[in-house]
Amino acid sequence: MAVSRARQMERGRAVARVRMHVGQSASELAREVHAQATLEYALTVLALLAMVVVLALIWRAGEEGIFVHLVEEAASHALSAWGAFDIALY
């Protein structure tokens, strides 16, 4: 019973796809599929490029010591003479 129900649903989807594309030639359908593949490829390349650029920026910031500077600023209360008092007030 479950197999026949699954087949009916699959057939219904196929019929819906055919009805959606009534009036289009095979070349138009192929062009539509090709256009979707091109868009998916472009989005994937864009996402990968963004990741590479962000990793390069993080690498550059690490080389220039930006992270060390941020850590020093965050821990500046421990480096001064009033560090213990500052920590107690926090």
Side-chain angles (χ1 to χ4, degrees), residues 18-73:
V18 169
R19 285 182 184 158
M20 184 174 66
H21 295 296
V22 169
Q24 289 183 338
S25 67
S27 64
E28 289 174 339
L29 289 174
R31 196 172 343 156
E32 183 179 319
V33 170
H34 181 70
Q36 180 180 354
T38 303
L39 177 66
E40 290 172 356
Y41 181 73
L43 292 174
T44 303
V45 168
L46 185 64
L48 289 173
L49 182 65
M51 285 189 277
V52 169
V53 168
V54 168
L55 288 173
L57 289 173
I58 290 172
W59 184 277
R60 176 68 67 169
E63 278 186 347
E64 293 179 1
I66 292 175
F67 297 128
V68 173
H69 179 69
L70 290 173
V71 169
E72 286 175 351
E73 280 186 16

Side-chain angles (χ1 to χ4, degrees), residues 13-14 16 47 74:
R13 286 189 206 120

